[in-house]
Amino acid sequence: MLNYIYAPEKILAQITNNQQTYLLLIEDEQPVAFAAFSPREEDPDIYKLHKLYCLPITQGKGYGKILIDEVCKQTLAAGKHILDLNVNRYNKAKTFYEKMGFEVIYKEDIAIGEYWMNDYVMRKTL
């Protein structure tokens, strides 16, 4: 599943075709965290945080919060006030997102090849 979603050619196409905006956080000249977001295809009035990842050694430094705050800032700059994300129902990051002001609005199961993503869709009103 990771090879499918995060294949370099997929990420390059997302950036090149302006499908998603990527933010990269650098520490000591090394990339340590990133986020990607865009308007939702089915409802461009709602933005979606597609990706948020921090290297394990940097977790707890506030980098996730910095990235979410910047995504919120750019979403508001686009004139939008709703930010959604998907998180696996068994992912400990759900608690982090709740601390950032997101709330579960529904469950969603998405097939990716033979793999199923069992997610919560979470929302934050900005």
Side-chain angles (χ1 to χ4, degrees):
M1 189 233 7
L2 292 176
N3 289 335
Y4 176 77
I5 294 175
Y6 297 103
E9 59 274 6
K10 281 202 168 224
I11 292 174
L12 180 61
Q14 290 168 350
I15 295 168
T16 304
N17 299 324
N18 293 319
Q19 295 168 327
Q20 292 182 19
T21 299
Y22 275 76
L23 304 174
L24 183 62
L25 201 145
I26 307 286
E27 176 185 73
D28 296 327
E29 300 181 26
Q30 296 294 319
V32 294
F34 75 96
F37 65 99
S38 72
R40 288 188 77 120
E41 288 181 24
E42 60 276 6
D43 187 348
D45 285 332
I46 299 173
Y47 269 47
K48 181 172 182 180
L49 176 63
H50 297 280
K51 302 168 184 76
L52 177 67
Y53 292 97
C54 300
L55 289 177
I57 61 170
T58 66
Q59 290 177 357
K61 289 188 170 189
Y63 294 162
K65 181 183 182 328
I66 290 169
L67 288 169
I68 285 178
D69 287 348
E70 183 61 26
V71 170
C72 290
K73 178 181 166 186
Q74 291 191 30
T75 299
L76 285 169
K80 308 306 176 189
H81 298 278
I82 298 173
L83 181 62
D84 285 357
L85 62 83
N86 282 49
V87 64
N88 184 278
R89 292 196 285 265
Y90 308 103
N91 189 332
K92 294 184 291 184
K94 177 181 174 278
T95 303
F96 166 73
Y97 293 128
E98 289 169 335
K99 288 178 184 175
M100 295 294 101
F102 288 87
E103 298 178 346
V104 172
I105 56 172
Y106 60 89
K107 293 179 184 179
E108 181 173 61
D109 297 313
I110 304 165
I112 297 181
E114 296 178 16
Y115 181 82
W116 281 89
M117 293 177 59
N118 306 114
D119 290 351
Y120 289 120
V121 175
M122 300 184 78
R123 176 169 287 173
K124 179 176 181 167
T125 302
L126 309 175

